[in-house]
Amino acid sequence: KEFNEIESRSCPGCGACGGMYTANTMASAIEALGMSLPGSAAHSAVDRKNQISKKKQNDCKKTVAALFSLLESGIRARDILTFPAFENAITVVLALGGSTNAVLHLLSVAHEMGIPLSIDDFDRVSAKTPLLGDLKPGGRFVATDLYQAGGIRLVVKRLLDAKILNADCVTVTGKTIGEEAKTAKETPNQKVVRPLNDPLKPTGGLVILKGNLAPDGCVLK
C-alpha cells in the first residue's frame, strides 16, 4: 500500500515524464523534423479526469487524414527527412535544453536515411542557438506548460525570427515548417519560452567535447 502511494504521487497519470527528458525531447525533435503534426508534441496525454484528452483523440483523426494526403500527394519520409530538416530538429532540441539522447537518436535516424549527419553538427548548431526553454530538469516548467505557452510552433517561430532555422523544409501536412509557424500563437505573459533578446543562455543546451577520454566526442548537457 505504501509503495502504491509513492507510485501514484510520483507518476500521477499517463504519458511521459513531464520534463525535457528523452520522450518529450524526441517528440519535439520529430515535430521540428516535420514528421509529426504541428502542435502534437507537447500537450498532455490525459485530461484532468484522467481520460484520454480530446487533443490526443484529434491527433489520431488528423494523423489518418494526413497519411492519406501524403499518399495522394506522393510525399514520402525521405522527402521530409533531409539534412536541413535534421538541422531544424537539432536547433529546436538545443533551444529547449533537451536530452543528450537526442544526439544518439537523430544520428541513428540520419544514418538510416543515408544522410551524413555527424556529432560535430550538434556543436556547430549549438554555437548559434540560444537556450530559450525554461524547462525541467534544468528549468522550472514541464511539457504541458510549453504547450499552453504556444508549443513547438512558438519555439519554431522564435528560431525562424532569429534566422537560424530552415523555413522551406516540408512537413507531413504538405506545408513547409515556415508556413506552419505562421499559425503560432503565444500566450500573453508566458514565462516558458524566453524572448530572443533575453535567452537563458546565448548558446544551446548541449555541447560536444573531445579529448583523451573521448577522442570521438561525447555529449554534455
Side-chain angles (χ1 to χ4, degrees):
K1 183 179 179 181
E2 183 182 358
F3 182 63
N4 182 65
E5 185 73 8
I6 293 169
E7 281 191 324
S8 298
R9 290 179 182 275
S10 61
C11 304
C14 302
C17 46
M20 271 295 144
Y21 304 103
T22 304
N24 284 317
T25 296
M26 291 312 298
S28 302
I30 291 165
E31 184 174 324
L33 267 174
M35 285 293 288
S36 64
L37 294 174
S40 66
H43 60 62
S44 62
V46 294
D47 60 23
R48 291 184 179 180
K49 296 179 181 178
N50 216 29
Q51 302 294 313
I52 296 174
S53 70
K54 289 184 178 179
K55 294 184 180 72
K56 276 293 181 205
Q57 291 176 325
N58 288 336
D59 276 350
C60 293
K61 293 175 183 177
K62 290 178 181 178
T63 296
V64 174
L67 283 168
F68 276 98
S69 178
L70 289 167
L71 286 168
E72 289 166 0
S73 61
I75 297 174
R76 304 171 73 175
R78 291 184 186 277
D79 299 317
I80 298 172
L81 293 170
T82 61
F83 186 84
F86 277 96
E87 285 188 316
N88 286 349
I90 293 169
T91 304
V92 167
V93 167
L94 293 167
L96 292 174
S99 169
T100 55
N101 277 335
V103 179
L104 302 176
H105 296 322
L106 290 173
L107 286 174
S108 295
V109 178
H111 177 75
E112 186 69 20
M113 290 290 102
I115 292 171
L117 192 70
S118 78
I119 194 171
D120 295 324
D121 289 312
F122 288 80
D123 211 40
R124 172 179 59 82
V125 175
S126 186
K128 62 178 183 178
T129 303
L131 179 61
L132 301 176
D134 190 359
L135 295 158
K136 292 178 183 294
R140 297 176 292 167
F141 301 103
V142 293
T144 49
D145 297 320
L146 172 60
Y147 179 80
Q148 290 162 5
I152 301 303
R153 267 184 288 201
L154 173 60
V155 179
V156 168
K157 187 176 186 304
R158 281 272 202 283
L159 297 170
L160 285 169
D161 289 343
K163 296 182 171 30
I164 53 175
L165 272 193
N166 303 300
D168 296 332
C169 293
V170 70
T171 73
V172 289
T173 66
K175 297 179 181 179
T176 66
I177 194 167
E179 290 171 328
E180 289 293 351
K182 290 178 182 178
T183 64
K185 295 179 181 179
E186 182 173 358
T187 300
N189 302 315
Q190 63 84 21
K191 305 294 183 184
V192 186
V193 182
R194 299 284 279 268
L196 289 171
N197 62 2
D198 186 27
L200 288 162
K201 199 162 77 77
T203 56
L206 301 176
V207 65
I208 306 301
L209 304 179
K210 292 185 178 181
N212 61 333
L213 293 178
D216 295 325
C218 65
V219 189
L220 181 69
K221 184 166 182 173

